[in-house]
């Protein structure tokens, strides 16, 4: 359905990074911030590991980029390449996405991709974020997110891009699009994906307040579909996938296309404008100063 699935509001990534508090509206400290800081090292180890079981037609994509699976340009590029390979493999019918890291699925966009970078680099990064969502949301495969840790912001976007979400039943783990906590407006395609997942009213409250939901609260609003004990997340995803693959592929894919095509086409019709607006916003002096303050805050917490 990458072809089957592949119009609109202006890009909504505007505002000021003036609020550096990362406390949720539920009165508890968020496990992960809106942006994450990926420590740089010289390792060339893959950030993504993919295993395809040809006997079942199910692939497992494991994110393995410590400390928090930040969505850097390198990470997103590797993610998209692997997704495309699986999409082209006719033996692959289902995909489970999970994390090898303790307590985190993905902490979202890597702030270092947006701080001190040229407009050209920022544009390349944002195009990669778009591409990740387009490939995942429009995939022909049945996709399940096995969420074994916190999943804020970009991590949440990845999760709701899947067909089904299974999360560890741990109240310390959180998930949500919390961009407004930092004075940022989520892009229209983030918003549309959330509305398609939880409905307009729940999405409105979630986005306006920048809420991060505990696992039980995420289940209540339909942000995730199922909670299971932490040590059963992956096995439950495997069992659930067998039910999805019991449905004839063509019927499932066409139905998925009917449900998602309009949302995908909306971004495709506005893709260049979306990139231009992101670059214009993120490279503003005021935003760069706020990103620097945010970085300093993250580093002070580590000290």
């Amino acid at each position: 359905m990458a072809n089957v699935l592949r119009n609109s509001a202006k890009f909504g990534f505007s505002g000021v990074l003036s609020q550096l508090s990362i406390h949720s509206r539920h009165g508890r400290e968020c496990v992960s911030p809106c942006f994450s800081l990926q420590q740089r090292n010289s390792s060339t180890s893959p950030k993504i590991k993919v295993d395809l079981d040809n006997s079942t037609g199910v692939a497992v994509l494991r994110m393995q980029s410590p400390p928090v699976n930040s969505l850097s340009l390198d990470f997103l590029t590797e993610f998209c390449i692997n997704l495309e390979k699986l999409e082209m493999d006719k033996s692959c019918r289902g995909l489970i996405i999970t994390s090898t890291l303790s307590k985190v699925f993905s902490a979202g966009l890597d702030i270092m991709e947006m701080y001190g970078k040229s407009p050209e680099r920022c544009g390349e990064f944002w195009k990669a974020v778009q591409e990740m969502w387009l490939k995942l949301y429009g995939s022909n495969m049945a996709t399940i997110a096995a969420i074994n840790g916190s999943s804020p912001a970009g991590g949440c976007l990845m999760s709701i891009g899947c067909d089904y979400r299974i999360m560890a039943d741990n109240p310390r783990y959180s998930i949500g699009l919390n961009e407004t906590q930092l004075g940022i407006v989520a892009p229209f395609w983030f918003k549309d994906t959330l509305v398609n997942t939880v409905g307009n009213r729940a999405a409105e409250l979630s986005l306006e307040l920048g809420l991060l939901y505990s696992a039980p609260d995420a289940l209540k609003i339909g942000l995730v579909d199922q909670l299971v004990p932490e040590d059963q997340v992956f096995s439950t995803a495997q069992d659930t996938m067998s039910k999805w693959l019991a449905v004839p592929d063509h019927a499932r894919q066409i139905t998925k296309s009917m449900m998602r095509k309009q949302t995908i086409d909306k971004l495709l019709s506005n893709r260049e404008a979306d990139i231009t607006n992101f670059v214009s916003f993120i490279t503003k002096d005021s935003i760069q100063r706020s990103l620097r303050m945010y970085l300093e805050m993250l580093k002070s917490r580590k000290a």
Side-chain angles (χ1 to χ4, degrees), residues 253-270:
Q253 291 166 359
I254 293 171
T255 301
K256 184 175 181 178
S257 175
M258 287 193 300
M259 299 299 296
R260 298 189 173 192
K261 186 178 186 300
Q262 184 177 6
T263 305
I264 290 172
D265 285 349
K266 188 173 176 180
L267 175 58
L268 290 174
S269 298
N270 294 274

Side-chain angles (χ1 to χ4, degrees), residues 12-24:
F13 211 113
S14 61
V16 180
L17 288 166
S18 57
Q19 292 178 296
L20 298 181
S21 166
I22 57 167
H23 287 77
S24 77

Side-chain angles (χ1 to χ4, degrees), residues 11 48 55 66 139 160 167 172 180 218 228 231 249 260 292 303:
F11 176 63
I48 303 291
S55 66
S139 174
I160 61 179
M167 189 170 185
R172 295 178 63 85
T180 53
V228 297
D231 61 354
D249 287 347
R260 298 189 173 192
R292 184 176 66 250

